[in-house]
């Protein structure tokens, strides 16, 4: 059951993430793709023009960033008193320490996140075939000021710390809170519903697995959806700041047939917010929102199919 969800989150949803990020950084775009229908149409055009791999680019680097994040969190928690997990009897001091650990982790992973972001939005037409560890090389190069040449508009990493940590902490707090709430409500409802009684041990095993894992999967789905939707405007700002000055060329998200350079000149987070509001309107913060609808629709479909499979196994057991 968990394998299918991991596949959905990291493989099946990746084209939606690629297109969403391209829309977010495309300040040229006239079409904002607030509807999933327009998003699907242009995603089809990109695939038709450049081949299927155009929307799966950068997938390896996203795994690298996840690995760096998990490894950094583990190392920091082992070397410091900062708690990696919160116990049921947590206190404010533990919560603060836990969030500090998360913040430090996001800071360490930040240059690799920037490199991964570039890989996911760079047009397949002009990019070389990067290796899976190029994300690490580019991330270290960003720290050292070496590697791929950047323009003078490139923001220093210290300018990216606040928006990166802010987005990461808020995403974690929102998703954790929603997950706990939904899990509590689902388990409370399940405890009040009649249990399946069967002498068949196989049926009991299937039912136990369904009762144990499905509420967690539903809670995780709701948590990710709420956090991504609520923080979409902040994510748009964050991605534009990360991509600025990197000489990245993206696909034209209006049509899907051409390429466009990214030549923004934001001075920081506040300036980026003001410029987007002034030149693109409030909806400019939601460019590519239709792709998030597609992404979570696919996720919901996989959840439903998974539940149907286990329910069928339960009836036939």
């Amino acid at each position: 059951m968990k394998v299918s969800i991991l596949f959905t989150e990291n493989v099946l949803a990746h084209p939606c993430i690629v297109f969403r990020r391209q829309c977010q950084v495309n300040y040229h775009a006239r079409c904002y793709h607030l509807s999933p229908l327009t998003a699907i149409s242009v995603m089809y055009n990109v695939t038709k023009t450049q081949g299927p791999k155009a929307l799966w680019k950068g997938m390896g680097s996203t795994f690298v960033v996840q690995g760096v994040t998990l490894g950094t969190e583990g190392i920091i928690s082992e070397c410091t008193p900062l708690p990696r997990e919160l116990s049921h009897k947590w206190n404010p001091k533990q919560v603060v320490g836990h969030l500090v650990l998360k913040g430090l982790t996001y800071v360490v992973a930040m240059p690799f996140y920037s490199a991964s972001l570039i890989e996911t939005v760079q047009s397949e037409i002009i990019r070389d075939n990067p290796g899976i560890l190029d994300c690490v090389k580019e991330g270290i190069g960003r720290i050292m000021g070496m590697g791929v040449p950047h323009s003078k508009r490139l923001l220093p990493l210290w300018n990216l710390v606040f928006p990166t940590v802010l987005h990461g902490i808020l995403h974690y707090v929102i998703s954790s809170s929603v997950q706990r709430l939904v899990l509590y409500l689902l388990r409370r409802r399940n405890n009040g519903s009649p249990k399946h009684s069967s002498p068949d041990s196989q049926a009991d095993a299937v039912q136990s697995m369904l009762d144990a894992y499905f509420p967690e999967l539903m809670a995780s789905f709701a948590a990710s959806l709420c956090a991504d939707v609520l923080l979409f405007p902040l994510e748009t700002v964050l991605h534009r700041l990360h991509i600025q000055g990197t000489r990245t060329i993206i696909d034209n998200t209006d049509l899907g047939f051409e390429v466009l350079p990214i030549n923004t000149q934001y001075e920081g987070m506040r300036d980026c917010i003001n410029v987007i509001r002034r030149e693109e309107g409030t909806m400019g913060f939601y460019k590519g929102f239709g792709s998030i609808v597609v992404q979570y629709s696919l996720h919901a479909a996989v959840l439903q199919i998974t539940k149907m499979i286990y329910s069928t196994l339960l009836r036939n057991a």
Side-chain angles (χ1 to χ4, degrees):
M1 187 180 288
K2 287 191 174 183
V3 173
S4 64
I5 303 305
L6 288 173
F7 173 79
T8 304
E9 292 178 346
N10 296 290
V11 180
L12 194 59
H14 192 75
C16 299
I17 295 172
V18 168
F19 187 72
R20 168 173 125 206
R21 291 179 172 183
Q22 286 192 321
C23 291
Q24 286 175 322
V25 301
N26 187 3
Y27 62 96
H28 303 280
R30 295 180 180 274
C31 182
Y32 288 10
H33 296 299
L34 304 178
S35 163
L37 297 179
T38 61
I40 291 173
S41 175
V42 176
M43 289 168 70
Y44 171 77
N45 289 341
V46 171
T47 304
K48 184 178 179 181
T49 305
Q50 304 177 32
K53 68 176 183 178
L55 291 177
W56 267 273
K57 58 193 172 191
M59 187 167 65
S61 67
T62 60
F63 286 113
V64 170
V65 173
Q66 290 179 17
V68 170
T69 302
L70 291 173
T72 301
E73 187 175 312
I75 292 171
I76 294 176
S77 65
E78 289 293 329
C79 299
T80 66
L82 301 175
R84 189 172 189 179
E85 301 288 343
L86 290 176
S87 62
H88 293 292
K89 297 181 179 179
W90 52 264
N91 56 54
K93 183 179 179 181
Q94 289 178 328
V95 173
V96 171
H98 183 61
L99 293 181
V100 168
L101 171 63
K102 292 291 183 181
L104 292 174
T105 301
Y106 298 138
V107 171
V108 174
M110 181 174 63
F112 307 103
Y113 181 83
S114 289
S116 175
L117 175 64
I118 294 170
E119 283 192 22
T120 56
V121 301
Q122 183 88 281
S123 176
E124 191 73 16
I125 294 176
I126 54 90
R127 84 184 195 127
D128 297 323
N129 293 323
I132 193 170
L133 294 180
D134 281 4
C135 171
V136 176
K137 182 179 70 175
E138 295 298 331
I140 295 174
R142 183 77 182 265
I143 297 171
M144 306 296 293
M146 302 167 59
V148 176
H150 302 114
S151 74
K152 294 180 179 179
R153 294 185 299 274
L154 184 73
L155 290 172
L157 283 176
W158 61 268
N159 274 359
L160 301 175
V161 169
F162 177 73
T164 301
V165 173
L166 177 65
H167 177 269
I169 293 294
L170 287 177
H171 196 284
Y172 175 74
V173 170
I174 293 171
S175 60
S176 297
S177 301
V178 171
Q179 186 171 8
R180 287 172 184 262
L181 176 61
V182 172
L183 194 58
Y184 168 76
L185 294 175
L186 288 175
R187 285 178 173 170
R188 185 178 179 182
R189 187 185 68 177
N190 290 342
N191 289 336
S193 61
K195 300 294 182 181
H196 171 80
S197 57
S198 170
D200 194 324
S201 59
Q202 183 180 357
D204 289 341
V206 174
Q207 182 66 50
S208 298
M209 185 175 295
L210 197 61
D211 292 341
Y213 291 119
F214 197 74
E216 291 185 10
L217 298 178
M218 286 296 296
S220 177
F221 167 79
S224 297
L225 174 61
C226 289
D228 282 350
V229 169
L230 291 174
L231 296 178
F232 198 94
L234 179 57
E235 186 182 69
T236 297
V237 173
L238 177 66
H239 287 167
R240 292 201 184 189
L241 295 177
H242 271 277
I243 213 75
Q244 178 170 298
T246 58
R247 296 184 176 177
T248 300
I249 296 177
I250 67 169
D251 298 312
N252 183 346
T253 57
D254 284 340
L255 302 172
F257 298 119
E258 302 171 345
V259 294
L260 297 167
I262 299 298
N263 295 313
T264 54
Q265 300 185 42
Y266 306 122
E267 296 178 2
M269 181 177 176
R270 181 180 298 180
D271 182 53
C272 182
I273 293 171
N274 291 335
V275 171
I276 294 174
R277 185 188 294 117
R278 182 176 66 249
E279 297 183 358
E280 301 167 59
T282 303
M283 288 297 101
F285 293 99
Y286 290 91
K287 284 184 173 179
F289 190 81
S291 62
I292 214 171
V293 177
V294 177
Q295 176 184 341
Y296 282 97
S297 295
L298 288 172
H299 196 158
V302 171
L303 275 175
Q304 192 60 35
I305 292 170
T306 303
K307 186 178 181 180
M308 289 171 59
I309 292 172
Y310 275 85
S311 297
T312 302
L313 289 174
L314 185 60
R315 287 195 300 269
N316 296 334

